[in-house]
């Protein structure tokens, strides 16, 4: 999944929905997570208050961006190659954490509060509330009001309950492949600080782990069947 997100970024966001700012949380059942942020440089200034150089024609300094975020308490895994869409520079940043509940110590993600706790027998509860934007001034930007912000949760197990709702003129999110939730918001509303609430109840067993167990059982069964066939064949040959 991380590979696909990188591919989408390298294609200038041409795959799927296009967001001016997008956060993707890849969560594990133990609370560890990777957060991938794909955003335009003006959006990072306006929403997160990063002091980025927005001079036309100037490519962002990836090392400087990494150093800036690390100084703000972020465990940066990588800063991707920039790309351009609609005349605006975009960049991807990956942040890693061993505990999603503490990732708000990172200055890039500190507009959110995170909760991740057991919820009954064999269940987990994930909560995230995105609060006010930084209110930075990116100057004149060619935004036309159609821009969107996306928050995507890649959850490790089957979703039992969620709070994706509908806006008056369409859905504010979606459910994909049973364990991926997307919450959307108008960019103007995000700049104005309209909160985003994400609540998910899920199973405590990892889909990947369960899949690997099933695969292992199937493989062992296939080996036993093959061994049985070989044993029968050898016995017949001896007779």
């Amino acid at each position: 999944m991380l590979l696909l997100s990188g591919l989408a970024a390298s294609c200038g966001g041409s795959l799927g929905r296009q967001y001016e700012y997008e956060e993707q949380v890849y969560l594990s059942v133990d609370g560890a997570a990777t957060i991938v942020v794909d955003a335009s440089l003006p959006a990072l200034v306006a929403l997160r208050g990063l002091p980025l150089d927005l001079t036309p024609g100037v490519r962002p300094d990836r090392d400087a961006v990494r150093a800036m975020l690390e100084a703000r308490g972020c465990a940066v895994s990588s800063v991707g190659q920039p790309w351009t869409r609609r005349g605006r520079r975009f960049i991807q940043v990956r942040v890693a954490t061993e505990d999603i509940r503490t990732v708000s110590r990172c200055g890039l993600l500190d507009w959110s509060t995170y909760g991740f706790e057991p919820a009954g027998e064999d269940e987990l509860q994930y909560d995230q509330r995105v609060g006010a934007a930084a209110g930075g001034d990116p100057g004149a930007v060619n935004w036309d009001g159609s821009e969107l912000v996306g928050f995507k949760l890649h959850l490790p197990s089957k979703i039992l309950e969620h709070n994706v709702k509908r806006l008056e003129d369409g859905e504010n999110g979606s459910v994909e492949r049973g364990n991926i939730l997307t919450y959307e918001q108008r960019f103007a509303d995000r700049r104005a600080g309209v909160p985003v609430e994400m609540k998910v109840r899920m199973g405590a067993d990892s889909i990947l782990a369960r899949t690997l167990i099933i695969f292992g059982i199937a493989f062992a069964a296939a080996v036993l069947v093959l061994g049985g066939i070989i044993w029968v064949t050898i016995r017949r040959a001896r007779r």
Side-chain angles (χ1 to χ4, degrees), residues 128-162:
Q128 181 181 347
R129 186 183 190 276
V130 190
D137 182 11
V141 183
N142 61 337
W143 290 319
D144 60 16
S146 66
E147 295 80 18
L148 295 172
V149 172
F151 297 92
K152 182 169 287 191
L153 306 178
H154 300 259
L155 301 166
S157 55
K158 182 180 179 180
I159 296 172
L160 305 175
E161 186 178 359
H162 62 81

Side-chain angles (χ1 to χ4, degrees), residues 58-69:
V58 175
R59 289 175 61 86
D61 185 331
R62 296 162 60 200
D63 292 334
V65 171
R66 175 189 282 272
M68 181 189 306
L69 293 176

Side-chain angles (χ1 to χ4, degrees), residues 33-86:
T34 296
I35 298 91
V36 181
V37 175
D38 295 289
S40 72
L41 300 190
L44 288 172
V45 173
L47 299 181
R48 306 310 308 124
L50 298 186
L52 300 173
D53 186 354
L54 302 182
T55 304
V58 175
R59 289 175 61 86
D61 185 331
R62 296 162 60 200
D63 292 334
V65 171
R66 175 189 282 272
M68 181 189 306
L69 293 176
E70 288 178 343
R72 297 186 178 206
C74 304
V76 179
S77 300
S78 66
V79 178
Q81 290 286 351
W83 72 94
T84 301
R85 190 175 77 221
R86 297 182 180 178

Side-chain angles (χ1 to χ4, degrees), residues 53-189:
D53 186 354
L54 302 182
T55 304
V58 175
R59 289 175 61 86
D61 185 331
R62 296 162 60 200
D63 292 334
V65 171
R66 175 189 282 272
M68 181 189 306
L69 293 176
E70 288 178 343
R72 297 186 178 206
C74 304
V76 179
S77 300
S78 66
V79 178
Q81 290 286 351
W83 72 94
T84 301
R85 190 175 77 221
R86 297 182 180 178
R88 299 187 292 277
R89 293 277 192 182
F90 283 71
I91 199 168
Q92 181 182 93
V93 177
R94 296 171 184 264
V95 175
T97 180
E98 293 299 319
D99 187 347
I100 188 66
R101 296 170 297 182
T102 66
V103 78
S104 56
R105 297 172 186 171
C106 164
L108 180 63
L109 306 169
D110 62 359
W111 60 355
S112 287
T113 56
Y114 300 84
F116 186 64
E117 302 292 345
E121 187 177 354
D122 299 326
E123 294 181 6
L124 296 169
Q125 177 76 30
Y126 176 86
D127 299 281
Q128 181 181 347
R129 186 183 190 276
V130 190
D137 182 11
V141 183
N142 61 337
W143 290 319
D144 60 16
S146 66
E147 295 80 18
L148 295 172
V149 172
F151 297 92
K152 182 169 287 191
L153 306 178
H154 300 259
L155 301 166
S157 55
K158 182 180 179 180
I159 296 172
L160 305 175
E161 186 178 359
H162 62 81
N163 69 332
V164 172
K165 299 179 181 178
R166 297 181 64 89
L167 297 174
E168 292 180 357
D169 57 351
E171 293 185 358
N172 75 331
S174 61
V175 182
E176 305 170 43
R177 298 200 301 275
N179 68 321
I180 303 175
L181 293 178
T182 301
Y183 294 78
E184 290 185 355
Q185 188 179 40
R186 298 179 184 88
F187 185 72
D189 289 340

